[in-house]
Amino acid sequence: MNAPPITTTPRDRIIDAARRLFMSKGFHSSPMAELAESARVSVGQVYRLFANKGDVISAIIEQKTSAQQRALVAICEQLESGHLTIQAAFEQFVNNALTDQDEGLSFEILAEAHRNPRVADTIHALCGDFREAIRRLAAVSHPEFGPRELDASEELLLACLFGLGHRSLSQPRLSDDETAHYAACMMIGAMGALRPQVQEPALHMSLLP
């Protein structure tokens, strides 16, 4: 049987193969030779493109985070243009986390980040860009928010995003659509509680002589 035609670049094939191997076998149990075979390239070509497996993980993080950021920017643009309601925008935001197929890989990457400062630095740098996109979503949905409310919203939405993206092992009782709906309601409600409070003018009662 003939092998299927190769239509992607060697770099993309290595990243895709690494994603599958690291998720199924773990980072340290995936030798470069097996990675090369799975990607249908030579070991030498792997090392010409990536200095080590840490570089491969960094490339996976960059690819994944860039895709998430583009999706979030698209949600913000649709919300700004009126093509999405606030509820629909947040449901889509949650659904993007729920449909992530790399849950196991995320745990592997986070574990490696605690061992490898370079991987940690990659995550820190890319999280900065992703935070800006999340902050934009908060600002578009709540234009009355000041810097502190936006800071709080950013932390809240990031925490929800990470938690919802790693829920499968908790045996969820709701479908993805139900979870997206209720999670969006809770996020919007929590952010509403951050809304700056307008101080009521004090009532001054004059004392009669």
Side-chain angles (χ1 to χ4, degrees):
M1 182 176 178
N2 293 330
I6 298 175
T7 58
T8 55
T9 66
R11 188 178 190 278
D12 287 340
R13 293 203 304 278
I14 292 168
I15 292 173
D16 289 342
R19 190 190 300 272
R20 294 191 302 271
L21 281 175
F22 295 168
M23 186 158 52
S24 63
K25 300 183 64 173
F27 177 71
H28 291 284
S29 298
S30 301
M32 283 297 213
E34 187 174 358
L35 174 57
E37 181 180 358
S38 181
R40 297 167 65 185
V41 299
S42 68
V43 174
Q45 190 165 26
V46 174
Y47 279 109
R48 282 193 292 273
L49 293 168
F50 302 97
N52 49 51
K53 282 193 286 185
D55 278 359
V56 179
I57 278 196
S58 293
I60 292 172
I61 297 168
E62 290 171 7
Q63 188 182 78
K64 181 180 177 68
T65 306
S66 295
Q68 290 174 328
Q69 186 179 355
R70 287 194 301 272
L72 186 49
V73 167
I75 292 173
C76 291
E77 290 174 348
Q78 291 181 73
L79 180 57
E80 288 171 327
S81 66
H83 287 90
L84 282 179
T85 64
I86 292 176
Q87 176 70 26
F90 276 86
E91 286 187 18
Q92 195 167 320
F93 172 73
V94 174
N95 261 316
N96 287 346
L98 296 177
T99 55
D100 186 355
Q101 300 299 311
D102 290 340
E103 183 175 343
L105 180 62
S106 295
F107 285 117
E108 192 71 23
I109 289 173
L110 290 173
E112 184 60 22
H114 286 284
R115 297 185 291 258
N116 187 329
R118 183 169 181 180
V119 173
D121 288 344
T122 300
I123 292 176
H124 292 159
L126 292 170
C127 271
D129 295 334
F130 194 58
R131 277 179 174 273
E132 285 302 315
I134 288 179
R135 192 180 187 90
R136 180 180 173 187
L137 177 61
V140 173
S141 59
H142 289 81
E144 75 279 11
F145 276 5
R148 294 304 291 167
E149 289 81 21
L150 290 174
D151 287 344
S153 298
E154 187 181 303
E155 296 300 332
L156 167 72
L157 296 179
L158 264 177
C160 290
L161 187 69
F162 283 126
L164 290 166
H166 299 91
R167 70 192 267 274
S168 67
L169 293 178
S170 66
Q171 298 181 318
R173 294 188 175 92
L174 299 178
S175 68
D176 284 356
D177 286 343
E178 289 173 319
T179 300
H181 173 74
Y182 290 119
C185 290
M186 293 177 70
M187 288 179 187
I188 294 168
M191 291 173 67
L194 299 173
R195 188 174 290 112
Q197 299 297 314
V198 177
Q199 294 292 329
E200 294 288 342
L203 295 177
H204 297 285
M205 297 182 64
S206 59
L207 296 177
L208 296 177

